[in-house]
Coordinates of all heavy atoms in Angstrom, one line a residue:
R758 N 91.2 4.3 -43.4 CA 92.2 3.4 -42.9 C 91.6 2.2 -42.2 O 90.7 2.4 -41.4 CB 93.2 4.2 -42.0 CG 94.4 3.6 -41.7 CD 95.4 4.6 -40.9 NE 95.0 4.6 -39.5 CZ 94.9 5.7 -38.8 NH1 95.2 6.8 -39.3 NH2 94.6 5.6 -37.5
K759 N 92.0 1.0 -42.6 CA 91.4 -0.2 -42.1 C 91.4 -0.3 -40.6 O 90.4 -0.8 -40.0 CB 92.1 -1.4 -42.7 CG 91.4 -2.7 -42.5 CD 92.0 -3.8 -43.3 CE 91.1 -5.0 -43.2 NZ 91.0 -5.7 -44.4
S760 N 92.4 0.3 -39.9 CA 92.5 0.1 -38.5 C 91.4 0.9 -37.7 O 91.1 0.6 -36.6 CB 93.9 0.6 -38.0 OG 94.1 1.9 -38.2
V761 N 90.9 2.0 -38.4 CA 89.8 2.8 -37.7 C 88.4 2.4 -38.1 O 87.4 2.9 -37.6 CB 90.1 4.3 -37.9 CG1 91.4 4.7 -37.3 CG2 90.0 4.7 -39.3
Q762 N 88.3 1.5 -39.1 CA 87.0 1.1 -39.6 C 86.1 0.5 -38.5 O 84.9 0.9 -38.4 CB 87.1 0.1 -40.7 CG 87.5 0.8 -42.0 CD 87.7 -0.2 -43.1 OE1 87.6 -1.4 -43.0 NE2 87.9 0.3 -44.3
P763 N 86.5 -0.3 -37.6 CA 85.6 -0.8 -36.5 C 85.1 0.3 -35.6 O 83.9 0.3 -35.3 CB 86.5 -1.8 -35.7 CG 87.5 -2.3 -36.7 CD 87.8 -1.1 -37.6
Y764 N 85.9 1.3 -35.4 CA 85.5 2.4 -34.6 C 84.4 3.2 -35.3 O 83.4 3.5 -34.7 CB 86.7 3.4 -34.3 CG 86.3 4.7 -33.7 CD1 85.9 4.8 -32.4 CD2 86.3 5.8 -34.4 CE1 85.5 6.0 -31.8 CE2 85.9 7.1 -33.9 CZ 85.5 7.1 -32.6 OH 85.1 8.3 -32.1
L765 N 84.6 3.5 -36.6 CA 83.7 4.3 -37.3 C 82.4 3.5 -37.5 O 81.3 4.0 -37.3 CB 84.2 4.6 -38.7 CG 85.4 5.6 -38.7 CD1 85.9 5.7 -40.1 CD2 84.9 6.9 -38.2
I766 N 82.5 2.2 -37.7 CA 81.3 1.4 -37.9 C 80.5 1.3 -36.6 O 79.2 1.3 -36.6 CB 81.7 -0.1 -38.3 CG1 82.2 0.0 -39.8 CG2 80.5 -1.0 -38.2 CD1 82.9 -1.3 -40.3
S767 N 81.1 1.4 -35.4 CA 80.4 1.3 -34.2 C 79.5 2.6 -34.0 O 78.5 2.5 -33.2 CB 81.4 1.3 -33.0 OG 82.1 2.5 -32.8
W768 N 79.8 3.7 -34.7 CA 78.9 4.9 -34.5 C 77.7 4.8 -35.5 O 76.8 5.6 -35.3 CB 79.8 6.1 -34.8 CG 80.6 6.4 -33.7 CD1 81.9 6.0 -33.4 CD2 80.3 7.2 -32.5 NE1 82.4 6.5 -32.2 CE2 81.4 7.3 -31.6 CE3 79.1 7.9 -32.2 CZ2 81.4 8.0 -30.4 CZ3 79.1 8.6 -31.0 CH2 80.2 8.6 -30.1
F769 N 77.7 4.0 -36.5 CA 76.6 3.9 -37.4 C 75.3 3.6 -36.8 O 74.2 3.9 -37.4 CB 76.9 3.0 -38.6 CG 78.1 3.4 -39.5 CD1 78.7 2.5 -40.2 CD2 78.5 4.7 -39.5 CE1 79.8 2.9 -41.0 CE2 79.5 5.1 -40.3 CZ 80.2 4.2 -41.1
K770 N 75.3 3.0 -35.6 CA 74.0 2.6 -35.0 C 73.3 3.8 -34.4 O 72.1 3.6 -34.0 CB 74.3 1.5 -34.0 CG 75.1 1.9 -32.8 CD 75.4 0.8 -31.8 CE 76.3 1.2 -30.8 NZ 76.7 0.1 -29.9
Y771 N 73.9 4.9 -34.3 CA 73.3 6.1 -33.7 C 72.8 7.0 -34.7 O 73.4 7.3 -35.7 CB 74.4 6.9 -32.9 CG 74.9 6.1 -31.7 CD1 76.2 5.5 -31.8 CD2 74.1 5.9 -30.6 CE1 76.7 4.8 -30.7 CE2 74.6 5.1 -29.5 CZ 75.9 4.6 -29.6 OH 76.4 3.8 -28.5
N772 N 71.6 7.5 -34.4 CA 70.9 8.6 -35.3 C 71.1 9.9 -34.5 O 70.5 10.0 -33.4 CB 69.4 8.2 -35.4 CG 68.7 9.3 -36.2 OD1 69.1 10.4 -36.2 ND2 67.6 8.8 -36.9
P773 N 71.9 10.8 -35.0 CA 72.1 12.1 -34.3 C 70.8 12.8 -33.9 O 70.8 13.4 -32.8 CB 72.9 12.9 -35.3 CG 73.6 11.9 -36.2 CD 72.6 10.8 -36.3
A774 N 69.8 12.8 -34.7 CA 68.6 13.5 -34.3 C 67.9 12.8 -33.1 O 67.4 13.5 -32.2 CB 67.6 13.5 -35.5
V775 N 68.0 11.5 -33.0 CA 67.4 10.8 -31.9 C 68.2 11.1 -30.6 O 67.7 11.4 -29.5 CB 67.4 9.3 -32.1 CG1 67.0 8.5 -30.9 CG2 66.4 8.9 -33.2
E776 N 69.5 11.1 -30.8 CA 70.4 11.4 -29.6 C 70.3 12.8 -29.1 O 70.2 13.1 -27.9 CB 71.8 11.0 -29.9 CG 72.1 9.6 -30.3 CD 71.6 8.6 -29.3 OE1 71.8 8.8 -28.1 OE2 71.0 7.6 -29.7
I777 N 70.2 13.8 -30.0 CA 70.1 15.2 -29.6 C 68.8 15.5 -28.9 O 68.6 16.3 -28.0 CB 70.4 16.2 -30.7 CG1 70.9 17.5 -30.2 CG2 69.3 16.3 -31.7 CD1 71.4 18.5 -31.2
A778 N 67.8 14.7 -29.3 CA 66.4 14.9 -28.7 C 66.4 14.5 -27.3 O 65.6 15.0 -26.5 CB 65.4 14.1 -29.5
K779 N 67.3 13.7 -26.9 CA 67.4 13.2 -25.5 C 68.0 14.2 -24.5 O 67.9 14.1 -23.3 CB 68.2 11.9 -25.4 CG 67.6 10.8 -26.1 CD 68.5 9.6 -26.1 CE 68.1 8.4 -27.0 NZ 69.0 7.3 -27.0
L780 N 68.7 15.2 -25.1 CA 69.5 16.1 -24.3 C 68.6 17.1 -23.5 O 67.7 17.7 -24.1 CB 70.5 16.9 -25.1 CG 71.6 16.1 -25.8 CD1 72.4 17.0 -26.6 CD2 72.4 15.3 -24.7
K781 N 68.9 17.3 -22.3 CA 68.1 18.3 -21.4 C 69.1 19.4 -21.0 O 68.8 20.1 -20.0 CB 67.5 17.6 -20.2 CG 66.6 16.4 -20.6 CD 65.4 16.9 -21.3 CE 64.5 15.7 -21.6 NZ 63.9 15.7 -22.9
I782 N 70.2 19.5 -21.6 CA 71.3 20.4 -21.2 C 71.3 21.5 -22.3 O 70.9 21.2 -23.5 CB 72.6 19.8 -21.0 CG1 73.1 19.0 -22.3 CG2 72.6 18.8 -19.8 CD1 74.5 18.5 -22.3
P783 N 71.9 22.6 -22.1 CA 72.1 23.6 -23.2 C 72.9 22.9 -24.3 O 73.9 22.3 -24.1 CB 73.0 24.7 -22.5 CG 72.6 24.6 -21.1 CD 72.5 23.1 -20.8
T784 N 72.4 23.2 -25.5 CA 72.9 22.5 -26.7 C 73.1 23.5 -27.8 O 72.3 24.4 -28.0 CB 71.9 21.4 -27.2 OG1 71.6 20.5 -26.1 CG2 72.5 20.6 -28.4
L785 N 74.2 23.4 -28.5 CA 74.6 24.3 -29.5 C 74.8 23.6 -30.8 O 75.6 22.6 -30.9 CB 75.9 25.0 -29.1 CG 76.5 26.0 -30.2 CD1 75.6 27.2 -30.5 CD2 77.9 26.5 -29.6
I786 N 74.1 24.0 -31.9 CA 74.3 23.5 -33.2 C 74.8 24.6 -34.1 O 74.2 25.6 -34.2 CB 72.9 23.0 -33.8 CG1 72.3 22.0 -32.9 CG2 73.1 22.5 -35.2 CD1 70.8 21.7 -33.2
I787 N 76.0 24.3 -34.7 CA 76.6 25.3 -35.6 C 76.9 24.5 -36.9 O 77.4 23.4 -36.9 CB 77.9 25.8 -35.1 CG1 77.7 26.4 -33.7 CG2 78.5 26.8 -36.0 CD1 79.0 26.8 -33.0
Q788 N 76.5 25.2 -38.0 CA 76.7 24.6 -39.3 C 77.2 25.6 -40.3 O 76.7 26.7 -40.3 CB 75.4 24.0 -39.8 CG 75.4 23.4 -41.2 CD 76.3 22.1 -41.2 OE1 76.3 21.3 -40.3 NE2 77.1 22.0 -42.3
G789 N 78.1 25.3 -41.1 CA 78.6 26.1 -42.2 C 77.8 25.8 -43.5 O 77.5 24.7 -43.8
N790 N 77.4 26.9 -44.2 CA 76.6 26.6 -45.4 C 77.5 26.3 -46.6 O 77.0 26.1 -47.7 CB 75.7 27.8 -45.7 CG 76.4 29.1 -46.1 OD1 77.6 29.2 -46.2 ND2 75.5 30.1 -46.2
S791 N 78.8 26.2 -46.4 CA 79.7 25.7 -47.5 C 80.4 24.4 -47.1 O 81.3 23.9 -47.8 CB 80.9 26.7 -47.7 OG 80.4 27.9 -48.3
D792 N 79.8 23.7 -46.2 CA 80.3 22.4 -45.8 C 79.9 21.3 -46.8 O 78.8 21.2 -47.2 CB 79.7 22.0 -44.4 CG 80.3 20.8 -43.8 OD1 80.8 19.9 -44.5 OD2 80.3 20.8 -42.5
I793 N 80.9 20.6 -47.4 CA 80.7 19.6 -48.4 C 80.6 18.2 -47.8 O 80.3 17.3 -48.5 CB 81.8 19.7 -49.5 CG1 83.1 19.4 -48.9 CG2 81.7 20.9 -50.3 CD1 84.3 19.3 -49.9
Q794 N 80.7 18.1 -46.5 CA 80.6 16.8 -45.8 C 79.3 16.7 -45.0 O 78.7 15.6 -45.0 CB 81.8 16.6 -44.9 CG 83.1 16.5 -45.7 CD 84.2 16.2 -44.8 OE1 84.2 15.2 -44.1 NE2 85.2 17.0 -44.8
V795 N 78.8 17.7 -44.4 CA 77.6 17.7 -43.7 C 76.7 18.9 -44.1 O 77.2 20.0 -44.2 CB 77.8 17.9 -42.1 CG1 76.5 17.9 -41.3 CG2 78.8 16.7 -41.6
S796 N 75.5 18.6 -44.5 CA 74.6 19.7 -45.1 C 73.9 20.5 -44.1 O 73.7 20.1 -42.9 CB 73.6 19.0 -46.0 OG 72.7 18.3 -45.3
V797 N 73.4 21.6 -44.5 CA 72.6 22.5 -43.7 C 71.3 21.7 -43.3 O 70.8 21.8 -42.2 CB 72.3 23.8 -44.4 CG1 71.2 24.6 -43.7 CG2 73.5 24.7 -44.5
E798 N 70.8 20.9 -44.2 CA 69.6 20.1 -43.9 C 69.9 19.2 -42.7 O 69.0 19.0 -41.9 CB 69.2 19.3 -45.2 CG 68.7 20.1 -46.3 CD 69.8 20.8 -47.1 OE1 71.0 20.4 -47.1 OE2 69.5 21.8 -47.8
N799 N 71.1 18.6 -42.6 CA 71.4 17.8 -41.4 C 71.3 18.6 -40.1 O 70.7 18.2 -39.1 CB 72.8 17.2 -41.5 CG 72.9 16.1 -42.6 OD1 73.8 16.2 -43.4 ND2 72.0 15.2 -42.6
A800 N 71.8 19.8 -40.2 CA 71.7 20.7 -39.0 C 70.3 21.1 -38.7 O 69.9 21.1 -37.5 CB 72.5 22.0 -39.2
E801 N 69.5 21.3 -39.7 CA 68.0 21.6 -39.5 C 67.3 20.4 -38.9 O 66.4 20.6 -38.1 CB 67.4 21.9 -40.9 CG 67.9 23.3 -41.4 CD 67.4 23.6 -42.8 OE1 66.9 22.7 -43.5 OE2 67.6 24.8 -43.2
L802 N 67.7 19.2 -39.2 CA 67.1 18.0 -38.6 C 67.4 17.9 -37.1 O 66.6 17.6 -36.3 CB 67.6 16.7 -39.3 CG 67.0 16.5 -40.7 CD1 67.8 15.3 -41.4 CD2 65.5 16.2 -40.7
L803 N 68.7 18.3 -36.8 CA 69.1 18.3 -35.4 C 68.2 19.4 -34.6 O 67.8 19.1 -33.5 CB 70.5 18.6 -35.2 CG 71.5 17.6 -35.8 CD1 72.9 18.0 -35.6 CD2 71.3 16.2 -35.1
K804 N 68.1 20.6 -35.2 CA 67.3 21.6 -34.6 C 65.9 21.2 -34.4 O 65.2 21.5 -33.4 CB 67.4 22.9 -35.4 CG 66.6 24.1 -34.9 CD 67.0 24.5 -33.5 CE 66.2 25.7 -33.0 NZ 66.2 25.8 -31.5
A805 N 65.3 20.5 -35.4 CA 63.9 20.1 -35.3 C 63.8 19.0 -34.2 O 62.7 19.0 -33.6 CB 63.5 19.5 -36.7
A806 N 64.8 18.3 -34.0 CA 64.7 17.2 -32.9 C 64.9 17.8 -31.5 O 64.5 17.2 -30.6 CB 65.8 16.2 -33.2
N807 N 65.5 19.0 -31.4 CA 65.7 19.6 -30.1 C 65.5 21.1 -30.3 O 66.4 21.9 -30.5 CB 67.1 19.3 -29.6 CG 67.3 19.9 -28.2 OD1 66.7 20.8 -27.8 ND2 68.2 19.2 -27.4
S808 N 64.2 21.5 -30.1 CA 63.8 22.9 -30.4 C 64.4 23.8 -29.4 O 64.5 25.1 -29.6 CB 62.3 23.0 -30.3 OG 61.8 22.7 -29.1
N809 N 65.0 23.3 -28.2 CA 65.6 24.2 -27.3 C 67.1 24.5 -27.6 O 67.7 25.4 -27.0 CB 65.6 23.6 -25.9 CG 64.2 23.5 -25.4 OD1 63.4 24.5 -25.5 ND2 63.8 22.5 -24.7
A810 N 67.6 23.8 -28.6 CA 69.0 24.0 -29.0 C 69.2 25.4 -29.6 O 68.4 25.9 -30.3 CB 69.5 22.9 -30.0
E811 N 70.4 26.0 -29.3 CA 70.7 27.2 -30.0 C 71.3 26.8 -31.4 O 72.1 25.9 -31.5 CB 71.8 27.9 -29.2 CG 72.2 29.3 -29.7 CD 73.1 30.0 -28.7 OE1 72.9 30.0 -27.5 OE2 74.0 30.7 -29.3
Y812 N 70.9 27.5 -32.4 CA 71.2 27.1 -33.8 C 71.8 28.3 -34.6 O 71.2 29.4 -34.6 CB 69.9 26.6 -34.4 CG 69.9 26.2 -35.8 CD1 70.5 25.1 -36.2 CD2 69.3 27.0 -36.8 CE1 70.4 24.7 -37.6 CE2 69.2 26.7 -38.1 CZ 69.8 25.5 -38.5 OH 69.8 25.1 -39.8
H813 N 72.9 28.0 -35.3 CA 73.5 29.0 -36.1 C 74.0 28.4 -37.4 O 74.6 27.3 -37.4 CB 74.8 29.6 -35.3 CG 74.4 30.3 -34.1 ND1 74.1 31.6 -34.0 CD2 74.4 29.8 -32.8 CE1 73.9 32.0 -32.8 NE2 74.0 30.9 -32.0
I814 N 73.8 29.1 -38.5 CA 74.4 28.8 -39.8 C 75.4 29.9 -40.0 O 75.1 31.1 -40.0 CB 73.3 28.8 -40.9 CG1 72.2 27.8 -40.6 CG2 74.0 28.6 -42.2 CD1 72.7 26.4 -40.6
I815 N 76.6 29.5 -40.3 CA 77.7 30.5 -40.6 C 77.9 30.5 -42.1 O 78.3 29.5 -42.7 CB 79.0 30.1 -39.8 CG1 78.7 30.2 -38.3 CG2 80.1 31.1 -40.2 CD1 79.9 29.9 -37.5
D816 N 77.8 31.7 -42.7 CA 77.9 31.9 -44.1 C 79.4 31.6 -44.5 O 80.3 32.1 -43.9 CB 77.5 33.3 -44.5 CG 77.4 33.5 -46.0 OD1 77.0 32.6 -46.7 OD2 77.8 34.6 -46.5
R817 N 79.6 30.8 -45.6 CA 80.8 30.5 -46.2 C 81.8 29.7 -45.3 O 83.0 29.6 -45.6 CB 81.6 31.8 -46.7 CG 80.8 32.6 -47.8 CD 81.6 33.8 -48.2 NE 83.0 33.5 -48.6 CZ 83.5 33.1 -49.8 NH1 82.7 33.0 -50.8 NH2 84.8 32.9 -49.9
M818 N 81.3 29.1 -44.3 CA 82.1 28.2 -43.4 C 82.0 26.8 -43.9 O 80.9 26.3 -44.2 CB 81.7 28.3 -42.0 CG 82.7 27.5 -41.1 SD 82.4 27.6 -39.3 CE 81.0 26.5 -39.1
N819 N 83.2 26.1 -44.1 CA 83.2 24.7 -44.5 C 83.4 23.8 -43.3 O 83.3 24.2 -42.2 CB 84.2 24.5 -45.6 CG 85.6 24.6 -45.2 OD1 85.9 24.7 -44.0 ND2 86.5 24.6 -46.2
H820 N 83.6 22.5 -43.6 CA 83.7 21.4 -42.6 C 84.8 21.6 -41.7 O 84.8 21.2 -40.5 CB 83.7 20.1 -43.3 CG 83.5 18.9 -42.4 ND1 82.2 18.6 -41.9 CD2 84.3 18.0 -41.9 CE1 82.3 17.6 -41.1 NE2 83.5 17.2 -41.1
I821 N 85.9 22.3 -42.1 CA 87.0 22.5 -41.2 C 87.1 23.9 -40.7 O 88.1 24.4 -40.3 CB 88.3 22.1 -41.9 CG1 88.6 22.9 -43.2 CG2 88.4 20.6 -42.2 CD1 90.0 22.7 -43.8
F822 N 85.9 24.5 -40.7 CA 85.7 25.8 -40.0 C 86.4 27.0 -40.7 O 86.7 28.0 -40.1 CB 86.1 25.8 -38.5 CG 85.6 24.6 -37.8 CD1 86.5 23.9 -37.0 CD2 84.3 24.2 -37.8 CE1 86.0 22.8 -36.3 CE2 83.8 23.1 -37.1 CZ 84.7 22.4 -36.4
K823 N 86.7 26.8 -42.0 CA 87.4 27.9 -42.7 C 86.5 28.6 -43.7 O 85.4 28.0 -44.1 CB 88.6 27.2 -43.6 CG 89.5 26.4 -42.8 CD 90.3 27.2 -41.8 CE 91.2 26.3 -40.9 NZ 92.6 26.2 -41.3
D824 N 86.9 29.8 -44.1 CA 86.1 30.5 -45.1 C 86.2 29.9 -46.5 O 87.3 29.7 -46.9 CB 86.6 32.0 -45.1 CG 85.7 32.8 -46.1 OD1 84.6 33.2 -45.6 OD2 86.1 33.0 -47.2
S825 N 85.1 29.6 -47.1 CA 85.1 28.9 -48.4 C 83.8 29.2 -49.1 O 82.8 29.1 -48.5 CB 85.4 27.4 -48.3 OG 85.3 26.8 -49.5
G826 N 84.0 29.4 -50.4 CA 82.8 29.4 -51.3 C 82.2 28.0 -51.5 O 82.8 27.1 -51.0
P827 N 81.1 27.9 -52.2 CA 80.5 26.6 -52.4 C 81.2 25.7 -53.5 O 80.9 24.6 -53.5 CB 79.1 27.0 -52.9 CG 79.3 28.3 -53.6 CD 80.4 29.0 -52.8
G828 N 82.1 26.3 -54.2 CA 82.8 25.5 -55.3 C 83.7 24.4 -54.7 O 84.4 24.6 -53.7
M829 N 83.7 23.2 -55.2 CA 84.4 22.1 -54.7 C 85.9 22.3 -54.7 O 86.5 22.1 -53.7 CB 84.1 20.8 -55.5 CG 84.7 19.6 -55.0 SD 84.1 19.0 -53.4 CE 82.5 18.4 -53.9
N830 N 86.5 22.9 -55.7 CA 87.9 23.1 -55.8 C 88.4 24.1 -54.7 O 89.4 23.9 -54.0 CB 88.4 23.5 -57.2 CG 88.3 22.3 -58.2 OD1 88.3 21.1 -57.8 ND2 88.2 22.6 -59.4
E831 N 87.6 25.2 -54.7 CA 88.0 26.2 -53.7 C 87.9 25.7 -52.3 O 88.7 25.9 -51.4 CB 87.0 27.4 -53.8 CG 87.2 28.5 -52.8 CD 86.1 29.6 -52.9 OE1 85.2 29.5 -53.7 OE2 86.2 30.5 -52.1
N832 N 86.8 24.9 -52.0 CA 86.6 24.3 -50.7 C 87.7 23.3 -50.3 O 88.3 23.4 -49.3 CB 85.2 23.6 -50.7 CG 84.7 23.4 -49.3 OD1 85.3 23.0 -48.4 ND2 83.4 23.7 -49.2
L833 N 88.0 22.4 -51.2 CA 89.0 21.4 -50.9 C 90.4 22.1 -50.7 O 91.2 21.6 -49.9 CB 89.1 20.4 -52.0 CG 87.9 19.4 -52.1 CD1 88.0 18.5 -53.3 CD2 87.8 18.6 -50.8
A834 N 90.7 23.2 -51.4 CA 92.0 23.9 -51.2 C 92.2 24.3 -49.8 O 93.3 24.4 -49.3 CB 92.0 25.1 -52.2
T835 N 91.1 24.6 -49.1 CA 91.2 25.1 -47.7 C 91.7 24.0 -46.8 O 92.3 24.2 -45.7 CB 89.9 25.6 -47.1 OG1 89.0 24.6 -47.0 CG2 89.4 26.8 -48.0
Y836 N 91.5 22.7 -47.2 CA 91.9 21.6 -46.4 C 93.4 21.4 -46.3 O 93.9 20.8 -45.4 CB 91.3 20.3 -46.9 CG 89.8 20.0 -46.6 CD1 88.8 20.9 -47.1 CD2 89.4 18.9 -45.9 CE1 87.5 20.7 -46.8 CE2 88.1 18.7 -45.6 CZ 87.1 19.6 -46.1 OH 85.8 19.4 -45.8
Y837 N 94.1 22.0 -47.3 CA 95.5 21.9 -47.4 C 96.3 23.1 -47.0 O 97.5 23.2 -47.2 CB 95.9 21.4 -48.8 CG 95.2 20.1 -49.2 CD1 94.1 20.1 -50.0 CD2 95.6 18.9 -48.7 CE1 93.4 19.0 -50.3 CE2 95.0 17.7 -49.0 CZ 93.9 17.8 -49.8 OH 93.2 16.6 -50.1
N838 N 95.6 24.1 -46.5 CA 96.2 25.4 -46.2 C 96.0 25.6 -44.7 O 95.0 26.2 -44.3 CB 95.6 26.5 -47.0 CG 96.3 27.8 -46.8 OD1 97.1 28.0 -45.9 ND2 96.0 28.8 -47.7
S839 N 97.0 25.2 -43.9 CA 96.9 25.4 -42.5 C 97.1 26.8 -42.0 O 96.9 27.1 -40.8 CB 98.0 24.5 -41.8 OG 99.3 24.9 -42.2
N840 N 97.4 27.7 -42.9 CA 97.6 29.1 -42.6 C 96.3 29.9 -42.5 O 96.2 31.0 -42.0 CB 98.5 29.8 -43.5 CG 99.9 29.3 -43.5 OD1 100.4 29.0 -42.4 ND2 100.6 29.1 -44.6
L841 N 95.2 29.3 -43.0 CA 93.9 29.9 -43.0 C 93.3 29.9 -41.6 O 93.3 28.9 -40.9 CB 92.9 29.2 -43.9 CG 93.3 29.3 -45.4 CD1 92.3 28.5 -46.2 CD2 93.2 30.8 -45.9
P842 N 92.8 31.0 -41.1 CA 92.2 31.0 -39.7 C 90.8 30.4 -39.8 O 90.2 30.3 -40.8 CB 92.1 32.5 -39.4 CG 91.9 33.2 -40.8 CD 92.8 32.3 -41.7
V843 N 90.3 30.0 -38.6 CA 89.0 29.6 -38.5 C 88.1 30.8 -38.6 O 88.5 32.0 -38.4 CB 88.7 28.8 -37.2 CG1 89.5 27.6 -37.1 CG2 88.8 29.7 -36.0
K844 N 86.8 30.6 -39.0 CA 85.9 31.7 -39.1 C 85.7 32.4 -37.8 O 85.4 31.8 -36.8 CB 84.5 31.2 -39.6 CG 84.5 30.7 -41.0 CD 84.5 31.8 -42.1 CE 83.2 32.5 -42.1 NZ 83.1 33.4 -43.2
P845 N 85.9 33.7 -37.7 CA 85.8 34.5 -36.5 C 84.4 34.3 -35.8 O 84.3 34.3 -34.6 CB 86.1 35.9 -36.8 CG 86.9 35.9 -38.1 CD 86.4 34.6 -38.8
E846 N 83.4 34.2 -36.7 CA 82.0 34.1 -36.2 C 81.9 32.8 -35.4 O 81.1 32.8 -34.4 CB 81.0 34.0 -37.3 CG 81.0 35.3 -38.2 CD 81.8 35.1 -39.4 OE1 83.0 34.7 -39.4 OE2 81.3 35.4 -40.5
L847 N 82.6 31.8 -35.8 CA 82.5 30.5 -35.0 C 83.0 30.7 -33.6 O 82.4 30.3 -32.6 CB 83.3 29.4 -35.7 CG 83.5 28.1 -35.0 CD1 82.2 27.4 -34.9 CD2 84.5 27.2 -35.7
V848 N 84.1 31.3 -33.5 CA 84.7 31.6 -32.2 C 83.8 32.4 -31.3 O 83.6 32.0 -30.1 CB 86.1 32.2 -32.3 CG1 86.7 32.6 -30.9 CG2 87.1 31.3 -33.1
K849 N 83.2 33.4 -31.8 CA 82.3 34.3 -31.1 C 81.1 33.5 -30.6 O 80.7 33.6 -29.4 CB 81.9 35.5 -31.9 CG 81.0 36.4 -31.1 CD 80.6 37.6 -31.9 CE 79.7 38.6 -31.2 NZ 79.1 38.2 -29.9
I850 N 80.5 32.7 -31.5 CA 79.3 32.0 -31.1 C 79.6 31.0 -30.0 O 78.9 30.9 -29.0 CB 78.7 31.2 -32.3 CG1 78.1 32.2 -33.3 CG2 77.7 30.2 -31.9 CD1 77.8 31.6 -34.7
I851 N 80.8 30.3 -30.1 CA 81.1 29.3 -29.0 C 81.4 30.0 -27.7 O 80.9 29.6 -26.7 CB 82.3 28.5 -29.5 CG1 81.9 27.6 -30.7 CG2 82.9 27.6 -28.3 CD1 83.1 26.8 -31.3
V852 N 82.2 31.1 -27.8 CA 82.5 31.8 -26.5 C 81.2 32.4 -25.9 O 81.0 32.3 -24.7 CB 83.5 33.0 -26.8 CG1 83.6 33.9 -25.6 CG2 84.8 32.4 -27.2
D853 N 80.3 33.0 -26.7 CA 79.0 33.5 -26.1 C 78.2 32.3 -25.5 O 77.6 32.5 -24.4 CB 78.2 34.2 -27.2 CG 78.8 35.5 -27.7 OD1 79.8 36.0 -27.0 OD2 78.4 36.0 -28.7
F854 N 78.2 31.2 -26.2 CA 77.4 30.1 -25.6 C 78.0 29.6 -24.3 O 77.2 29.4 -23.4 CB 77.4 28.9 -26.7 CG 76.6 27.7 -26.2 CD1 75.2 27.7 -26.3 CD2 77.3 26.6 -25.8 CE1 74.5 26.6 -25.9 CE2 76.6 25.5 -25.4 CZ 75.2 25.5 -25.5
I855 N 79.3 29.4 -24.2 CA 79.9 28.9 -23.0 C 79.8 29.9 -21.9 O 79.6 29.6 -20.7 CB 81.4 28.6 -23.3 CG1 81.5 27.4 -24.2 CG2 82.1 28.3 -22.0 CD1 82.9 27.1 -24.7
S856 N 79.8 31.2 -22.2 CA 79.7 32.3 -21.2 C 78.3 32.4 -20.6 O 78.2 33.1 -19.5 CB 80.1 33.6 -21.9 OG 81.4 33.6 -22.3
K857 N 77.3 31.8 -21.2 CA 75.9 32.0 -20.7 C 75.7 31.2 -19.4 O 76.3 30.1 -19.2 CB 74.9 31.5 -21.7 CG 74.8 32.5 -22.9 CD 73.8 32.0 -23.9 CE 73.8 32.9 -25.1 NZ 72.9 32.4 -26.1

C-alpha cells in the first residue's frame, strides 16, 4: 500500500545482522524452516552476528507461525485459515526464554 511505503523504506537502511551484533541483552532467534519470506540462512546470519543469542529452528513452521510443509500452495493456504493454531513449539520456546 502506498501509504506505508515511506515507513517500510525507512527500515531498509538497517542491516539486521549489524543491529543484533550490538545487543548485550538476552536475545532469542526463532526461525521456521518452512518460511517462504525469511530463510533459515537469514536466521543463521543473525546467530553468527550474535553468538550469545539463543537460536531455534522450528520444523514445518512458516512465516505466520503455522504448521506448513515446504510446498508453496500448502504454505500460502495457511495464510487464509485463521483457525489454524500457532506451532506449540514456538509458544514453549518463548515462554521458556522469558522465564529465564
Side-chain angles (χ1 to χ4, degrees):
R758 196 169 80 222
K759 193 169 187 140
S760 65
V761 298
Q762 286 179 353
Y764 169 75
L765 292 173
I766 291 168
S767 74
W768 283 91
F769 292 158
K770 65 184 173 185
Y771 297 103
N772 178 332
V775 170
E776 299 306 317
I777 201 169
K779 297 175 187 177
L780 297 178
K781 304 297 182 216
I782 59 173
T784 305
L785 176 61
I786 301 166
I787 304 173
Q788 178 66 43
N790 66 4
S791 290
D792 191 327
I793 57 175
Q794 296 183 55
V795 179
S796 70
V797 170
E798 291 78 17
N799 290 130
E801 290 171 350
L802 290 171
L803 294 177
K804 177 61 178 160
N807 186 332
S808 61
N809 293 320
E811 188 174 319
Y812 176 73
H813 298 271
I814 300 296
I815 299 179
D816 190 40
R817 295 183 50 92
M818 186 176 79
N819 67 8
H820 195 73
I821 59 168
F822 315 130
K823 307 293 175 95
D824 184 79
S825 174
M829 183 66 74
N830 290 337
E831 176 188 2
N832 201 313
L833 290 175
T835 68
Y836 283 62
Y837 303 103
N838 187 347
S839 60
N840 294 321
L841 294 174
V843 300
K844 292 282 287 187
E846 300 95 311
L847 173 67
V848 175
K849 180 178 180 353
I850 291 167
I851 293 171
V852 168
D853 290 350
F854 180 78
I855 292 171
S856 298
K857 290 180 186 175

